[in-house]
Amino acid sequence: DLEGIGQPAREQLAFLRRVVEERVSVAARLDALVRSLPEGVWLDGVQYDDQLSQTGDTSPRLTLEGACFLGEGGQELSAIQEFEERTKRDGRFYRGFATSQLGDITEQADQQQAYTYRTFRLEYTSDRRL
């Protein structure tokens, strides 16, 4: 009788181990992401998409939206590019991604406060089809 109960219990244990491993992986990636932020750069949004294609494959994509303010003209763009480079160099974060694309960089200005800052969008796509 115990053998019949043992197999489902082993399957549930294996599933729970996978869940815990994935959770640790996500936490490590988020930690690496936060540690990659240069001075003056912050994130406004993090979005994860995993679209299903007509063939049944999935294509995971992570999109980061953020901004940068340093107070000195021209330095924001360098800081945003440095952020992208840091994430690509960090294996804890970039593992599993094939490409990163920095885009939608815009300059925002507040005429009343007399300052400008830049916003950006950074997309990572997976190197695997699931």
Side-chain angles (χ1 to χ4, degrees):
D1 289 336
L2 292 177
E3 194 58 40
I5 297 172
Q7 182 60 29
R10 284 189 289 276
E11 290 172 2
Q12 289 178 346
L13 181 59
F15 172 74
L16 289 174
R17 284 185 179 146
R18 284 194 309 271
V19 168
V20 169
E21 288 171 6
E22 281 296 316
R23 192 168 171 211
V24 170
S25 174
V26 170
R29 280 184 191 244
L30 291 175
D31 181 62
L33 179 63
V34 170
R35 292 176 188 272
S36 297
L37 289 169
E39 181 74 27
V41 176
W42 67 91
L43 296 177
D44 292 325
V46 176
Q47 181 179 354
Y48 178 79
D49 291 316
D50 197 2
Q51 299 293 323
L52 185 63
S53 72
Q54 293 177 350
T55 61
D57 293 335
T58 61
S59 181
R61 179 178 36 206
L62 177 67
T63 303
L64 305 176
E65 293 180 349
C68 180
F69 173 74
L70 293 174
E72 299 176 24
Q75 298 299 317
E76 288 89 1
L77 186 55
S78 295
I80 292 168
Q81 291 170 332
E82 175 64 21
F83 173 56
E84 178 189 20
E85 289 302 316
R86 286 181 183 184
T87 61
K88 287 170 64 174
R89 286 190 307 257
D90 192 328
R92 295 174 302 154
F93 176 78
Y94 199 69
R95 184 185 67 239
F97 291 119
T99 62
S100 67
Q101 182 177 357
L102 182 59
D104 294 339
I105 299 174
T106 60
E107 186 173 293
Q108 306 289 323
D110 186 328
Q111 302 302 330
Q112 295 174 346
Q113 301 293 327
Y115 67 84
T116 62
Y117 66 98
R118 292 186 185 264
T119 60
F120 65 92
R121 180 182 186 97
L122 184 53
E123 291 187 5
Y124 301 90
T125 54
S126 177
D127 62 354
R128 60 188 174 147
R129 301 278 188 220
L130 304 176

PDB file of all heavy atoms in Angstrom, residues 8-9 15 21 33 35 38 45 52 58 61 77 83 100 116 123 127:
ATOM      1  N   PRO A   8       3.257   9.109  -5.972  1.00  0.00           N
ATOM      2  CA  PRO A   8       2.706  10.470  -6.051  1.00  0.00           C
ATOM      3  C   PRO A   8       3.429  11.446  -5.121  1.00  0.00           C
ATOM      4  O   PRO A   8       3.629  12.610  -5.471  1.00  0.00           O
ATOM      5  CB  PRO A   8       1.241  10.302  -5.631  1.00  0.00           C
ATOM      6  CG  PRO A   8       0.923   8.880  -5.903  1.00  0.00           C
ATOM      7  CD  PRO A   8       2.201   8.130  -5.668  1.00  0.00           C
ATOM      8  N   ALA A   9       3.866  10.971  -3.976  1.00  0.00           N
ATOM      9  CA  ALA A   9       4.589  11.838  -3.042  1.00  0.00           C
ATOM     10  C   ALA A   9       5.931  12.265  -3.631  1.00  0.00           C
ATOM     11  O   ALA A   9       6.338  13.425  -3.515  1.00  0.00           O
ATOM     12  CB  ALA A   9       4.793  11.143  -1.700  1.00  0.00           C
ATOM     13  N   PHE A  15       8.189  18.315  -7.972  1.00  0.00           N
ATOM     14  CA  PHE A  15       7.552  19.556  -8.421  1.00  0.00           C
ATOM     15  C   PHE A  15       7.876  20.707  -7.474  1.00  0.00           C
ATOM     16  O   PHE A  15       8.226  21.811  -7.906  1.00  0.00           O
ATOM     17  CB  PHE A  15       6.038  19.365  -8.513  1.00  0.00           C
ATOM     18  CG  PHE A  15       5.289  20.635  -8.783  1.00  0.00           C
ATOM     19  CD1 PHE A  15       5.318  21.209 -10.046  1.00  0.00           C
ATOM     20  CD2 PHE A  15       4.574  21.271  -7.778  1.00  0.00           C
ATOM     21  CE1 PHE A  15       4.646  22.393 -10.298  1.00  0.00           C
ATOM     22  CE2 PHE A  15       3.902  22.443  -8.018  1.00  0.00           C
ATOM     23  CZ  PHE A  15       3.928  23.014  -9.284  1.00  0.00           C
ATOM     24  N   GLU A  21      13.473  26.141  -6.795  1.00  0.00           N
ATOM     25  CA  GLU A  21      14.627  26.515  -7.604  1.00  0.00           C
ATOM     26  C   GLU A  21      14.302  27.696  -8.499  1.00  0.00           C
ATOM     27  O   GLU A  21      15.104  28.621  -8.640  1.00  0.00           O
ATOM     28  CB  GLU A  21      15.102  25.330  -8.440  1.00  0.00           C
ATOM     29  CG  GLU A  21      15.787  24.257  -7.631  1.00  0.00           C
ATOM     30  CD  GLU A  21      16.061  22.998  -8.436  1.00  0.00           C
ATOM     31  OE1 GLU A  21      15.827  22.994  -9.665  1.00  0.00           O
ATOM     32  OE2 GLU A  21      16.500  22.021  -7.832  1.00  0.00           O
ATOM     33  N   LEU A  33      19.653  42.590 -10.975  1.00  0.00           N
ATOM     34  CA  LEU A  33      19.136  43.747 -11.702  1.00  0.00           C
ATOM     35  C   LEU A  33      19.259  45.015 -10.869  1.00  0.00           C
ATOM     36  O   LEU A  33      19.759  46.037 -11.336  1.00  0.00           O
ATOM     37  CB  LEU A  33      17.670  43.503 -12.084  1.00  0.00           C
ATOM     38  CG  LEU A  33      16.959  44.610 -12.838  1.00  0.00           C
ATOM     39  CD1 LEU A  33      17.615  44.847 -14.187  1.00  0.00           C
ATOM     40  CD2 LEU A  33      15.500  44.247 -13.025  1.00  0.00           C
ATOM     41  N   ARG A  35      21.262  45.589  -8.383  1.00  0.00           N
ATOM     42  CA  ARG A  35      22.677  45.914  -8.168  1.00  0.00           C
ATOM     43  C   ARG A  35      23.338  46.489  -9.426  1.00  0.00           C
ATOM     44  O   ARG A  35      24.395  47.094  -9.343  1.00  0.00           O
ATOM     45  CB  ARG A  35      23.434  44.691  -7.674  1.00  0.00           C
ATOM     46  CG  ARG A  35      23.001  44.287  -6.281  1.00  0.00           C
ATOM     47  CD  ARG A  35      23.703  43.011  -5.846  1.00  0.00           C
ATOM     48  NE  ARG A  35      23.170  42.515  -4.604  1.00  0.00           N
ATOM     49  CZ  ARG A  35      23.602  42.868  -3.407  1.00  0.00           C
ATOM     50  NH1 ARG A  35      24.570  43.735  -3.292  1.00  0.00           N
ATOM     51  NH2 ARG A  35      23.061  42.350  -2.327  1.00  0.00           N
ATOM     52  N   PRO A  38      23.100  52.004 -12.191  1.00  0.00           N
ATOM     53  CA  PRO A  38      24.076  53.056 -11.893  1.00  0.00           C
ATOM     54  C   PRO A  38      23.414  54.212 -11.138  1.00  0.00           C
ATOM     55  O   PRO A  38      22.181  54.320 -11.081  1.00  0.00           O
ATOM     56  CB  PRO A  38      24.531  53.541 -13.274  1.00  0.00           C
ATOM     57  CG  PRO A  38      24.028  52.552 -14.248  1.00  0.00           C
ATOM     58  CD  PRO A  38      22.855  51.876 -13.614  1.00  0.00           C
ATOM     59  N   GLY A  45       9.115  50.317 -14.534  1.00  0.00           N
ATOM     60  CA  GLY A  45       8.289  49.156 -14.824  1.00  0.00           C
ATOM     61  C   GLY A  45       9.113  47.963 -15.263  1.00  0.00           C
ATOM     62  O   GLY A  45      10.155  48.117 -15.901  1.00  0.00           O
ATOM     63  N   LEU A  52       2.848  32.610 -26.862  1.00  0.00           N
ATOM     64  CA  LEU A  52       2.752  31.300 -27.488  1.00  0.00           C
ATOM     65  C   LEU A  52       2.581  31.496 -28.993  1.00  0.00           C
ATOM     66  O   LEU A  52       1.680  32.212 -29.439  1.00  0.00           O
ATOM     67  CB  LEU A  52       1.560  30.532 -26.907  1.00  0.00           C
ATOM     68  CG  LEU A  52       1.371  29.101 -27.371  1.00  0.00           C
ATOM     69  CD1 LEU A  52       2.556  28.246 -26.942  1.00  0.00           C
ATOM     70  CD2 LEU A  52       0.082  28.538 -26.788  1.00  0.00           C
ATOM     71  N   THR A  58       7.227  28.985 -27.266  1.00  0.00           N
ATOM     72  CA  THR A  58       7.094  30.238 -26.539  1.00  0.00           C
ATOM     73  C   THR A  58       8.375  31.047 -26.709  1.00  0.00           C
ATOM     74  O   THR A  58       9.441  30.496 -26.967  1.00  0.00           O
ATOM     75  CB  THR A  58       6.838  30.011 -25.038  1.00  0.00           C
ATOM     76  OG1 THR A  58       7.938  29.314 -24.483  1.00  0.00           O
ATOM     77  CG2 THR A  58       5.548  29.253 -24.808  1.00  0.00           C
ATOM     78  N   ARG A  61      10.201  37.183 -23.093  1.00  0.00           N
ATOM     79  CA  ARG A  61      10.779  38.512 -23.271  1.00  0.00           C
ATOM     80  C   ARG A  61      10.588  39.301 -21.982  1.00  0.00           C
ATOM     81  O   ARG A  61       9.520  39.282 -21.367  1.00  0.00           O
ATOM     82  CB  ARG A  61      10.119  39.245 -24.428  1.00  0.00           C
ATOM     83  CG  ARG A  61      10.700  40.627 -24.615  1.00  0.00           C
ATOM     84  CD  ARG A  61      10.141  41.398 -25.775  1.00  0.00           C
ATOM     85  NE  ARG A  61       8.732  41.149 -25.984  1.00  0.00           N
ATOM     86  CZ  ARG A  61       8.136  41.288 -27.155  1.00  0.00           C
ATOM     87  NH1 ARG A  61       8.819  41.640 -28.200  1.00  0.00           N
ATOM     88  NH2 ARG A  61       6.853  41.066 -27.273  1.00  0.00           N
ATOM     89  N   LEU A  77      22.525  59.655 -20.932  1.00  0.00           N
ATOM     90  CA  LEU A  77      22.620  58.636 -21.969  1.00  0.00           C
ATOM     91  C   LEU A  77      23.745  57.642 -21.661  1.00  0.00           C
ATOM     92  O   LEU A  77      23.580  56.434 -21.801  1.00  0.00           O
ATOM     93  CB  LEU A  77      22.832  59.279 -23.336  1.00  0.00           C
ATOM     94  CG  LEU A  77      22.798  58.337 -24.538  1.00  0.00           C
ATOM     95  CD1 LEU A  77      21.518  57.526 -24.578  1.00  0.00           C
ATOM     96  CD2 LEU A  77      22.988  59.118 -25.823  1.00  0.00           C
ATOM     97  N   PHE A  83      24.100  50.893 -17.769  1.00  0.00           N
ATOM     98  CA  PHE A  83      23.155  49.970 -17.151  1.00  0.00           C
ATOM     99  C   PHE A  83      22.958  48.744 -18.039  1.00  0.00           C
ATOM    100  O   PHE A  83      23.020  47.603 -17.567  1.00  0.00           O
ATOM    101  CB  PHE A  83      21.833  50.677 -16.880  1.00  0.00           C
ATOM    102  CG  PHE A  83      20.732  49.776 -16.402  1.00  0.00           C
ATOM    103  CD1 PHE A  83      20.896  48.981 -15.283  1.00  0.00           C
ATOM    104  CD2 PHE A  83      19.528  49.727 -17.077  1.00  0.00           C
ATOM    105  CE1 PHE A  83      19.881  48.142 -14.836  1.00  0.00           C
ATOM    106  CE2 PHE A  83      18.510  48.903 -16.639  1.00  0.00           C
ATOM    107  CZ  PHE A  83      18.689  48.108 -15.524  1.00  0.00           C
ATOM    108  N   SER A 100      19.732  41.891 -26.136  1.00  0.00           N
ATOM    109  CA  SER A 100      19.142  43.018 -25.413  1.00  0.00           C
ATOM    110  C   SER A 100      19.061  44.165 -26.406  1.00  0.00           C
ATOM    111  O   SER A 100      19.925  44.302 -27.279  1.00  0.00           O
ATOM    112  CB  SER A 100      19.984  43.415 -24.200  1.00  0.00           C
ATOM    113  OG  SER A 100      21.222  43.935 -24.607  1.00  0.00           O
ATOM    114  N   THR A 116      15.946  68.457 -17.016  1.00  0.00           N
ATOM    115  CA  THR A 116      15.606  67.431 -17.999  1.00  0.00           C
ATOM    116  C   THR A 116      16.061  66.072 -17.471  1.00  0.00           C
ATOM    117  O   THR A 116      16.961  65.991 -16.647  1.00  0.00           O
ATOM    118  CB  THR A 116      16.287  67.689 -19.362  1.00  0.00           C
ATOM    119  OG1 THR A 116      17.692  67.649 -19.184  1.00  0.00           O
ATOM    120  CG2 THR A 116      15.868  69.020 -19.943  1.00  0.00           C
ATOM    121  N   GLU A 123      14.763  45.894 -23.750  1.00  0.00           N
ATOM    122  CA  GLU A 123      14.103  44.599 -23.941  1.00  0.00           C
ATOM    123  C   GLU A 123      15.136  43.488 -24.056  1.00  0.00           C
ATOM    124  O   GLU A 123      16.144  43.635 -24.740  1.00  0.00           O
ATOM    125  CB  GLU A 123      13.251  44.613 -25.208  1.00  0.00           C
ATOM    126  CG  GLU A 123      12.036  45.493 -25.094  1.00  0.00           C
ATOM    127  CD  GLU A 123      11.102  45.362 -26.291  1.00  0.00           C
ATOM    128  OE1 GLU A 123      11.356  44.525 -27.170  1.00  0.00           O
ATOM    129  OE2 GLU A 123      10.118  46.115 -26.328  1.00  0.00           O
ATOM    130  N   ASP A 127      17.064  33.109 -25.455  1.00  0.00           N
ATOM    131  CA  ASP A 127      17.802  32.362 -26.466  1.00  0.00           C
ATOM    132  C   ASP A 127      17.231  30.976 -26.669  1.00  0.00           C
ATOM    133  O   ASP A 127      17.779  30.172 -27.376  1.00  0.00           O
ATOM    134  CB  ASP A 127      19.281  32.263 -26.094  1.00  0.00           C
ATOM    135  CG  ASP A 127      19.519  31.506 -24.788  1.00  0.00           C
ATOM    136  OD1 ASP A 127      18.522  31.153 -24.121  1.00  0.00           O
ATOM    137  OD2 ASP A 127      20.672  31.289 -24.450  1.00  0.00           O
TER     138      ASP A 127
END
